[in-house]
Amino acid sequence: MAKIALITGITGQDGSYLAEFLLKKRYKVHGIIRRVALEDKTHRLWRLRKILKKITLHAASLESYASLVKIIQRVKPNEIYHLGAQSYVDYSFKDEFSTLNTNINGTHYLLSAIKDFSPKSKFYFAGSSEMFGKVKKVPQNENTPFYPRSAYGISKVTGHDLTRNYREAYNLYCCTGILFNHESPRRGFEFVTRKISHSVARIKLGLQRKVILGNLEAKRDWGHAKDYVEAMWMMLQKKKPDDFVIATGKQHSVRDFAKLAFSMVGLNYKKYIEIDKNLLRPAEVQTLLGDYSKAKRVLKWKPKILFKNLVRDMVESDIKFVKRSGY
Ligand code: NAP
Ligand code: GDD
């Protein structure tokens, strides 16, 4: 019998790659989406367009416990991947309330629904390296204390605590993946890597003159989303549930990313970047670097696509995208 997976956040970067990955593994894939996505299919389901006929979408809301119970009872999933969240850190300073509400309550409602209506479902929670925030140790692993620096980071620490508590208190199969930044040609335009790769393409094609950025010195451990969704699946295939850091173990600054991306189209980044202090965050996460040795040892996972190829993939894809769409 084919396994059944239910994905929240299926319209996002990771949700779309995970859905494709699970289809290849012959899962029946179901996704939870918001009403707006159903209303505006061409725009909001762009990442799913190639697999739309192969998956089943259900309208529900992470803010409504009842709607989640209904879907879980109907779908009876073997595995639930909870990726849906207000995922943009900068926005979480502007709208703490909805970030905390969606991210904390959404996770709580799902866990509670699983406990009462589907206790055999395995649960994956999308934790984040933002939980380490103002880092206490370099590099960060599963034992590094958390010090979140935004409502987003706080919501992910709480989601992680809820996930662990449901595992310990109710013996449910619940894991948190503590994923460091991962990018791809499907990244949202608001995140810095996509903002840069998209601007590089537009500048090269004569549609834009400058790109305006904030903190160029922030350092991140950037991997490719395709590699990271495989790690999510691997976590749910073990006998015992556990939490894992997923990262590349290599760090680069925003400046490094911009320099490499511009150099790939033969341009010097210094000529095209402007700094706007309004883009600095009230509390910045200055540096993140992951130690994924536990995932390597236990899951036999390691990243396949490293920094240079990630940047190339994004820039080449955006050149095609801009030529095709004019956007
Ligand atoms: P993304 O592209 O921003 O996708 C977020 C998804 O969440 C979208 O499907 C979005 O649906 C959905 N969503 C947002 N608000 C919602 C709400 N109120 N109710 C229901 N659904 C809502 O994010 P991603 O990069 O794929 O990340 C997936 C998950 O991993 C997120 O939880 C994120 O916080 C976490 N994470 C990401 C990274 C990373 O580097 N990418 C690293 C660590 C953790 P709409 O399409 O309707 O907006
Ligand atoms: N977005 C953005 N836009 N960031 C900028 C800009 C800009 O114009 N200029 C500099 N930055 C800096 C930010 O200040 C931050 O230090 C860094 O670039 C990365 O910002 P984002 O790409 O927005 O990602 P993030 O690291 O804040 O959050 C992402 O990774 C987390 C994992 O660590 C998101 O995907 C989160 O959902 C995820 O949990």
Side-chain angles (χ1 to χ4, degrees), residues 67-79:
S67 75
L68 297 172
V69 166
K70 214 168 77 178
I71 304 302
I72 285 175
Q73 283 184 317
R74 190 182 302 158
V75 172
K76 298 186 180 58
N78 302 96
E79 295 170 13

Side-chain angles (χ1 to χ4, degrees), residues 85-101:
Q86 193 303 93
S87 71
Y88 186 29
V89 174
D90 192 51
Y91 181 81
S92 81
F93 288 105
K94 287 152 189 139
D95 185 1
E96 292 175 8
F97 291 91
S98 70
T99 302
L100 293 170
N101 183 23

Side-chain angles (χ1 to χ4, degrees), residues 18 21 23 33 39 95 118 121 124 137 171 177 179 191 222 230 232 257 267 294 298:
L18 179 64
F21 176 86
L23 284 172
I33 57 170
E39 275 174 2
D95 185 1
S118 190
S121 299
Y124 172 87
K137 220 186 96 196
N171 210 20
L179 272 53
F191 299 97
W222 276 299
E230 184 173 13
M232 297 175 188
F257 192 103
L267 300 177
K294 181 177 169 187
V298 180

Side-chain angles (χ1 to χ4, degrees), residues 23-24 27 67 73 81 85-86 135 140 143 171 177 186 198 200 209 211 213 215 222 251-252 258 273 290 299-300:
L23 284 172
K24 283 202 188 110
Y27 278 61
S67 75
Q73 283 184 317
Y81 295 87
Q86 193 303 93
V135 297
Q140 297 83 53
N143 300 317
N171 210 20
R186 295 188 195 167
H198 184 226
V200 164
R209 289 185 47 241
V211 52
L213 297 172
N215 179 8
W222 276 299
Q251 193 185 51
H252 298 273
I273 286 181
L299 302 177
K300 314 285 177 232

Side-chain angles (χ1 to χ4, degrees), residues 237-256:
Q237 310 313 309
K238 300 302 290 180
K239 266 216 166 85
K240 280 193 182 159
D242 204 349
D243 305 324
F244 293 92
V245 159
I246 300 298
T248 69
K250 300 263 185 306
Q251 193 185 51
H252 298 273
S253 64
V254 173
R255 182 187 297 280
D256 295 334

